[in-house]
Amino acid sequence: MSAPERPFRFGLVAGRVRDGAEWSDTARRAEQAGYSTLLAPDSMQTLAPWPALAAAAAATRTLRLGTYVLAAPFHTAGEVAWHAASLDLLSGGRFELGLGAGRPGAEHDADRLGLPFGSPGQRVDQLTELIKGVRAALAGEMYPSPATPLPVMIAGAGRRMLTLAAAEADIVALGLAPQATEDDLAAKVLLLREAAGARADDIELAFSLHGVGDELPDWLTKSFGLDVPTLVASGAVSLLTGSPREMADRLLRRRERTGISYVITNSMFLEPLAGVIELLDGR
């Protein structure tokens, strides 16, 4: 598989804190540890992404900020363009717009918001229209002009989502089951690159680690009944174990094979991954 070797960067997904001081501290710690991006999920179990990212922008200087990812059924193009342009301007061009068709379980949030949550096909259609609408709105004069062209991340797993991402995204966050192997990941990348054709090398590839070291988040254990030994035995790409050097080497091999250079993880692993980030700084 031919893929460009972009420099590594690392994203931290966060959204649950006790107060504003803890949130600002999380953003500063991520910046100091070398993370490139703080990512806010679009979930009613976490902080609302727009105010959370605005607060993080005020607490940091170089840390980039992103939505991970806004669910198309919950938002209009005008609203997203308004918030995105404002946040990008106020942060000095540090915002990245992450969009998707809605994660598994997001129908419960739709119920709480009083919004319909259609079929997978309907939601992909909504996402397609949202992307077009946001870009059209940002090209007009109704909203603050973004400080820079907004990078667009699309998260997806299925063939139709990856085909859309191949055509429209600057960054693609690849979705796989927690037990997926390196071969499964390579096959997903190949599918995306084939769909992207001539623009394949222009797309930054991202992938999420569900575990770093000897811990897993509670949701993964409760929802899938998985533990670290099971994932290690299956060769799961979603788990990174070993010394910082061993973990860094695994990410280097993965990048060489697949081109994946953007590594994303949960805020509970902020410190465990910091040593890996230090080893891969500038590489």
Side-chain angles (χ1 to χ4, degrees):
M1 181 184 301
S2 175
E5 285 198 353
R6 294 172 179 263
F8 279 105
R9 66 179 186 137
F10 293 82
L12 192 74
V13 181
R16 292 183 179 177
V17 291
R18 291 166 294 185
D19 53 35
E22 183 181 347
W23 177 248
S24 295
D25 182 63
T26 298
R28 285 190 290 265
R29 287 170 56 214
E31 185 174 63
Q32 291 164 4
Y35 285 87
S36 170
T37 317
L38 181 66
L39 300 163
D42 191 16
S43 163
M44 295 191 73
Q45 287 73 53
T46 57
L47 295 171
W50 299 119
L53 293 174
T60 57
R61 292 294 176 266
T62 61
L63 187 69
R64 297 185 65 79
L65 313 149
T67 50
Y68 191 68
V69 292
L70 298 181
F74 301 165
H75 303 277
T76 66
E79 172 237 335
V80 172
W82 181 26
H83 285 294
S86 299
L87 183 53
D88 192 66
L89 185 147
L90 293 172
S91 67
R94 290 187 278 148
F95 180 63
E96 299 179 5
L97 178 60
L99 302 170
R103 73 189 190 287
E107 62 271 17
H108 301 300
D109 285 350
D111 287 341
R112 294 175 66 185
L113 291 167
L115 295 170
F117 194 74
S119 68
Q122 290 171 327
R123 287 184 276 118
V124 175
D125 289 340
Q126 286 178 299
L127 176 58
T128 302
E129 292 305 310
L130 181 63
I131 295 167
K132 292 178 181 177
V134 168
R135 285 184 167 148
L138 291 176
E141 298 180 356
M142 290 182 62
Y143 303 100
S145 297
T148 58
L150 289 183
V152 174
M153 170 192 280
I154 296 177
R159 181 177 292 274
R160 189 175 174 198
M161 277 294 298
L162 291 178
T163 300
L164 174 62
E168 299 290 348
D170 301 296
I171 309 160
V172 177
L174 298 160
L176 283 91
Q179 308 95 317
T181 66
E182 297 282 355
D183 287 343
D184 295 328
L185 181 58
K188 190 78 70 174
V189 171
L190 181 59
L191 177 63
L192 175 72
R193 289 183 61 83
E194 288 176 343
R199 69 182 304 267
D201 289 350
D202 297 330
I203 300 173
E204 182 179 28
L205 300 180
F207 182 69
S208 290
L209 298 172
H210 294 323
V212 178
D214 298 325
E215 288 188 89
L216 295 176
D218 289 341
W219 68 264
L220 190 62
T221 302
K222 292 175 181 177
S223 299
F224 294 91
L226 296 171
D227 55 27
V228 169
T230 300
L231 291 177
V232 170
S234 68
V237 290
S238 63
L239 177 66
L240 205 58
T241 59
S243 68
R245 180 71 266 168
E246 289 170 330
M247 290 191 279
D249 286 344
R250 187 174 183 189
L251 293 179
L252 284 165
R253 291 192 298 271
R254 183 173 298 165
R255 185 182 64 177
E256 181 179 5
R257 181 180 183 187
T258 65
I260 292 172
S261 58
Y262 189 7
V263 182
I264 297 169
T265 196
N266 187 282
S267 60
M268 71 179 287
F269 303 117
L270 190 161
E271 298 298 342
L273 199 59
V276 179
I277 294 173
E278 184 177 3
L279 288 172
L280 295 178
D281 183 35
R283 297 188 63 179

